Amino acid sequence: MIDFGRTPFTVIWEVTRACDLRCVHCRADARPRPDPRELTTAEGYRLLDEVRDVASPVFVITGGDPLKRADLFDLVEYGARIGIPVAVTPSGTPLLRRGAVPRLKALGVKRLALSLDAPTADAHDRSRQQRGSYAWTVAGARQARECDLPLQINTTVTRRNVALLDALADVVTDLGAVMWSAFFLVTVGRARESDQLSPEEFESTFAALHALAARVPFAVRTTAAPHYRRYILQQAARARRGGQPPRSTALAGVVGELPRARRGVTDGNGLVFISHTGEVYPSGFLPISAGNVRRTPLAQIYRDAPIFRRLRDEARLGGKCGVCEFRRICGGSRARAYAVTGDPLAEDPSCVYQPRKLGETVARETDAGHPPPRGRVSA
């Protein structure tokens, strides 16, 4: 098993913030033109050498739109040549033209990840604020299928589209994806608090995803919702108590040439994010810089930076996350805790579960005449 204290499971490099879309939930608040402070090609090669040396099983080139970088194919080719398992997440724009996807496949990309937020063009294009984005995305997905490049579909889950997930799953099936990743909104960048799901809506969405995962031909995972792992384990325990076999919703394994982690990968704990200017963050949704790869090697930042060390220390977690029996496989979204409270170690405000230890404390305080804290109990 990977030691997350030394080796991140996933490394993400935001090669640019340039993008021709204006997504309503964009964490990066992307702009059409590249930032002149972006890492150069030479700096990119040096970073890729460092990524290889940390031996992360998953490496993602993202943006913005990676296709807005003129040297994208050179970077991909170099990364694949030195043995990095490269995945790329281009945007649904005309740059995803015929030929781009097969070229990425030929250069050694292991997975293509495309974003779809709704099962219809009108709804998706509204969220991306660009007419035609749905059609370009679907065309790119079909290119991936034609050249046998494993496809992942990413969906940002908000109040705008949570009722559409069943229909969207049918589209994901039709496109031949190997993975569907549900990105639960974190209110950074352009994201609005009004689009954020309530804790109860998180739980009902987990139920919907869990039911879907039992019948669809692709794997289902969540991003910025590590408590989905808690939900899966709870449902498996319920099934066993009822004498039924648990649904097949594996938390680990290999999907489309890339592995899934055996434990939760969360902000700074198995995950590291490098911005277009070289700043290193625990994730793209947790904007606390730990250093810059222009000055400090990536491995040193990940292993030794104080913010990363704190995020990996379970004893520092606050509120109910700190006493939760699921904290090792979940740990809560540190990005959402920071976005809501300003403290990345606070309890995840999107979780309804009341840990057993907290429940015991509540019972004792209630018996002693003290009012119990607010919170919902999830079985």
Side-chain angles (χ1 to χ4, degrees):
M1 184 178 292
I2 294 175
D3 177 4
F4 283 0
R6 296 193 57 78
T7 302
F9 190 87
T10 303
V11 176
I12 301 175
W13 177 22
E14 173 197 71
V15 294
T16 184
R17 279 200 174 178
C19 184
D20 293 326
L21 303 179
R22 289 278 300 170
C23 304
V24 296
H25 50 259
C26 179
R27 57 140 194 97
D29 198 14
R31 296 288 188 265
R33 296 184 180 279
D35 187 329
R37 301 171 299 162
E38 287 178 0
L39 296 180
T40 66
T41 303
E43 289 173 325
Y45 289 157
R46 186 167 64 249
L47 174 59
L48 290 169
D49 288 337
E50 295 183 16
V51 171
R52 173 199 56 199
D53 293 344
V54 300
S56 170
V58 177
F59 173 66
V60 181
I61 290 179
T62 189
D65 182 3
L67 288 170
K68 293 283 281 186
R69 271 195 72 131
D71 61 355
L72 172 65
F73 297 106
D74 296 327
L75 294 168
V76 167
E77 181 179 32
Y78 183 80
R81 179 156 47 86
I82 64 175
I84 298 174
V86 181
V88 182
T89 66
S91 299
T93 78
L95 293 177
L96 198 62
R97 62 190 181 279
R98 192 79 186 171
V101 175
R103 187 177 179 188
L104 289 171
K105 164 72 173 180
L107 291 174
V109 166
K110 298 296 186 183
R111 184 179 295 176
L112 185 77
L114 299 174
S115 294
L116 275 180
D117 291 330
T120 63
D122 285 347
H124 172 84
D125 290 355
R126 280 198 301 273
S127 75
R128 301 285 159 173
Q129 298 196 78
Q130 175 62 63
R131 184 175 294 277
S133 178
Y134 181 91
W136 295 319
T137 301
V138 169
R142 288 175 175 155
Q143 289 181 55
R145 190 168 191 172
E146 289 169 4
C147 68
D148 200 27
L149 175 58
L151 171 70
Q152 175 176 315
I153 295 296
N154 297 334
T155 298
T156 300
V157 180
T158 73
R159 283 185 172 163
R160 296 168 183 256
N161 67 353
V162 68
L164 305 176
L165 295 183
D166 270 349
L168 185 52
D170 292 336
V171 177
V172 176
T173 298
D174 181 61
L175 294 176
V178 299
M179 173 74 75
W180 187 24
S181 185
F183 281 64
F184 283 71
L185 185 75
V186 178
T187 51
V188 295
R190 296 192 195 115
R192 301 174 183 175
E193 181 63 35
S194 59
D195 286 334
Q196 177 80 268
L197 301 184
S198 69
E200 293 78 13
E201 288 169 326
F202 264 77
E203 206 74 3
S204 61
T205 304
F206 289 166
L209 291 175
H210 188 252
L212 280 170
R215 66 173 176 80
V216 294
F218 49 81
V220 176
R221 76 175 186 196
T222 62
T223 297
H227 39 321
Y228 181 53
R229 284 179 168 252
R230 179 264 300 163
Y231 183 90
I232 288 176
L233 292 177
Q234 286 178 304
Q235 300 313 304
R238 273 206 188 102
R240 285 192 295 270
R241 288 196 300 268
Q244 300 295 321
R247 289 176 177 171
S248 179
T249 50
L251 293 172
V254 176
V255 179
E257 298 188 47
L258 293 180
R260 296 184 73 179
R262 294 186 177 276
R263 54 173 292 195
V265 174
T266 56
D267 313 283
N269 192 10
L271 175 64
V272 62
F273 179 95
I274 305 104
S275 81
H276 61 297
T277 61
E279 293 294 314
V280 179
Y281 301 102
S283 78
F285 300 100
L286 181 49
I288 300 176
S289 177
N292 193 295
V293 294
R294 282 176 162 141
R295 298 185 296 272
T296 309
L298 176 63
Q300 182 178 335
I301 295 173
Y302 177 79
R303 293 167 183 167
D304 299 332
I307 182 61
F308 277 89
R309 294 178 72 89
R310 289 198 298 271
L311 289 169
R312 291 194 291 266
D313 185 354
E314 296 170 7
R316 290 178 175 268
L317 293 178
K320 61 185 182 182
C321 285
V323 298
C324 184
E325 61 271 26
F326 292 103
R327 65 185 179 276
R328 183 156 293 180
I329 63 102
C330 169
S333 170
R334 302 298 97 220
R336 186 169 292 103
Y338 181 74
V340 173
T341 72
D343 178 3
L345 296 172
E347 68 179 52
D348 185 340
S350 66
C351 183
V352 301
Y353 182 67
Q354 180 171 295
R356 291 172 186 165
K357 285 186 179 180
L358 184 59
E360 293 166 3
T361 301
V362 170
R364 286 196 301 270
E365 291 183 350
T366 301
D367 290 342
H370 301 296
R374 293 180 181 178
R376 288 285 300 275
V377 178
S378 175

